[in-house]
Amino acid sequence: MTAEEFVRRLDASNQRLLEALAPDDTLKPEVEGDLNVVNLLKVALKNEIEATEIAARWLVGTDDVDVKLAFARQVGDEAKHYRLIVERLRGLGVDATRIDPLAKGYGPLFKYLDSLATTVERVAAGQFTREAIAVVKNRQFIEFCEHAGDRETATLYRDVIEPDERYHHELGRKLLLRLATTPDAQAAAAAAAGKTLELAEELQRAALAGAGIHHAPGC
Ligand SMILES: [Fe+2]
Ligand SMILES: [Fe+2]
């Protein structure tokens, strides 16, 4: 199939699976115990630093200038998100400069993404799919912040972070249209996207079972 047809199909199947990540609309998130904006922002720090680093690794791993620039843009944005979250945590009374988000090592999704060897897989998994997941998760987090009465964090996500993540997803779409042109490339891209969604779902299940977290922000 053409790259256009492939990307259209991948988008549709991603969106179908992403609905499984969306919580029940009637769910009323409650802030209790450990589940609060501060702790969810700490989860976000880890996501953002991992997103920064994987894009940086991929930036140096390609000779394709368009791809380099797409990853460079992403590195800058994800690092900016990290800084903005640190600043927001400071506003909430937490000194996040004392937090090492990688103290427990890299997560399973980072390790999987780091294992991908080709640009088409990286773009399909790390940009097109992971960033689509981030958009869904951030929408949930914005709602959570509003329920918790934290309009400042909600505004940060709505006005700055979420539009950036959407842009990263669109960068992925543009590159896929150029790269996913052969049956082999399309099969590899689809497999990498599928595995990314599977890992995201697994991580969400684990977070839900362990800490009742169902709306940690993505990156
Ligand atoms: Fe992103
Ligand atoms: Fe981000």
Side-chain angles (χ1 to χ4, degrees):
M1 70 185 99
T2 64
E4 284 75 15
E5 176 65 7
F6 171 73
V7 172
R8 203 183 54 70
R9 286 191 190 192
L10 184 62
D11 205 4
S13 85
N14 273 2
Q15 290 307 324
R16 259 197 315 279
L17 292 167
L18 275 171
E19 278 165 23
L21 285 179
D24 186 341
D25 280 344
T26 59
L27 188 73
K28 296 267 183 293
E30 280 176 42
V31 184
E32 55 179 357
D34 286 331
L35 186 56
N36 53 43
V37 171
V38 164
N39 283 339
L40 290 172
L41 286 175
K42 289 180 185 169
V43 176
L45 284 179
K46 178 161 183 167
N47 287 336
E48 299 291 356
I49 198 74
E50 287 191 346
T52 305
E53 182 164 339
I54 198 71
R57 290 187 185 192
W58 289 345
L59 156 63
V60 298
T62 177
D63 294 327
D64 183 319
V65 172
D66 271 354
V67 176
K68 265 189 197 299
L69 292 174
F71 287 139
R73 162 76 193 249
Q74 198 182 345
V75 170
D77 287 344
E78 309 296 11
K80 177 183 77 180
H81 299 164
Y82 190 97
R83 176 178 55 77
L84 290 170
I85 293 166
V86 168
E87 284 169 11
R88 181 64 198 125
L89 279 167
R90 187 178 305 125
L92 292 166
V94 176
D95 180 4
T97 61
R98 305 168 76 92
I99 295 171
D100 174 2
L102 295 173
K104 289 183 183 160
Y106 295 101
L109 182 56
F110 179 93
K111 288 179 185 158
Y112 171 67
L113 293 174
D114 197 38
S115 76
L116 295 174
T118 66
T119 300
V120 76
E121 291 169 292
R122 291 169 175 178
V123 166
Q127 288 192 315
F128 190 73
T129 300
R130 190 194 194 189
E131 299 291 332
I133 296 168
V135 168
V136 170
K137 290 185 158 263
N138 288 343
R139 272 205 301 263
Q140 295 166 12
F141 181 59
I142 289 164
E143 232 173 89
F144 177 84
C145 291
E146 276 167 353
H147 277 288
D150 187 340
R151 289 176 65 183
E152 205 168 325
T153 305
T155 301
L156 169 65
Y157 269 81
R158 184 181 296 110
D159 293 354
V160 182
I161 296 180
E162 209 259 7
D164 283 348
E165 313 303 15
R166 195 176 291 278
Y167 187 77
H168 302 155
H169 168 72
E170 291 303 324
L171 281 172
R173 178 193 307 276
K174 243 190 246 161
L175 291 172
L176 270 184
L177 285 170
R178 184 157 70 73
L179 299 169
T181 52
T182 66
D184 282 355
Q186 291 173 3
K195 181 73 185 170
T196 300
L197 276 163
E198 197 183 294
L199 281 169
E201 236 177 63
E202 255 169 50
L203 289 172
Q204 169 148 312
R205 253 200 311 277
L208 187 58
I213 292 175
H214 40 65
H215 17 52
C219 50

